[in-house]
Amino acid sequence: MKRFIISYLVGALFVLVFYFVFPLVMEGEMLDLSSKRVLNQMIPQMMIVGVAFGVVFTIIRAISQRNKSKQDAEKAMKEYFEYQLKKEKEKEK
């Protein structure tokens, strides 16, 4: 849940920064953030992009944790089998 909230806030901040930077890059004038029209557009966009960021980064985190646990399990099995092989070789001698 923490990952989703952080990603959500990053997405919302992304929209806010975009509203400030885009007019500057396009050599236009700054948006009047006190205007209700701008706020009525910006707030839903912040929520949508925040949810999108939250979902995407939560899925990426879940996949990476699953892959990490698989790698840990494979590593443990490899070490166990190497230990068993070493033990068998010692018995043969």
Side-chain angles (χ1 to χ4, degrees):
M1 188 66 173
K2 179 181 174 184
R3 174 70 52 191
F4 179 81
I5 292 172
I6 291 172
S7 300
Y8 179 87
L9 293 175
V10 168
L13 184 64
F14 179 76
V15 171
L16 188 62
V17 168
F18 187 74
Y19 266 89
F20 282 115
V21 172
F22 190 69
L24 293 175
V25 171
M26 298 303 291
E27 298 177 7
E29 58 186 52
M30 287 292 290
L31 293 174
D32 182 18
L33 290 178
S34 63
S35 169
K36 285 197 181 256
R37 185 180 69 80
V38 171
L39 288 177
N40 287 338
Q41 290 176 351
M42 186 170 44
I43 291 173
Q45 289 174 357
M46 288 173 75
M47 292 166 56
I48 292 169
V49 171
V51 168
F53 269 57
V55 168
V56 167
F57 286 113
T58 302
I59 290 171
I60 289 172
R61 174 71 174 176
I63 291 171
S64 69
Q65 282 182 339
R66 189 184 78 191
N67 289 343
K68 187 176 186 299
S69 66
K70 280 184 180 180
Q71 289 173 351
D72 290 343
E74 288 175 3
K75 182 180 176 185
M77 287 187 338
K78 181 179 177 183
E79 289 174 358
Y80 174 75
F81 289 133
E82 286 176 353
Y83 173 74
Q84 290 295 330
L85 185 62
K86 186 177 179 183
K87 212 174 181 185
E88 286 179 12
K89 286 183 179 181
E90 286 178 1
K91 282 184 182 180
E92 290 177 3
K93 290 183 181 181

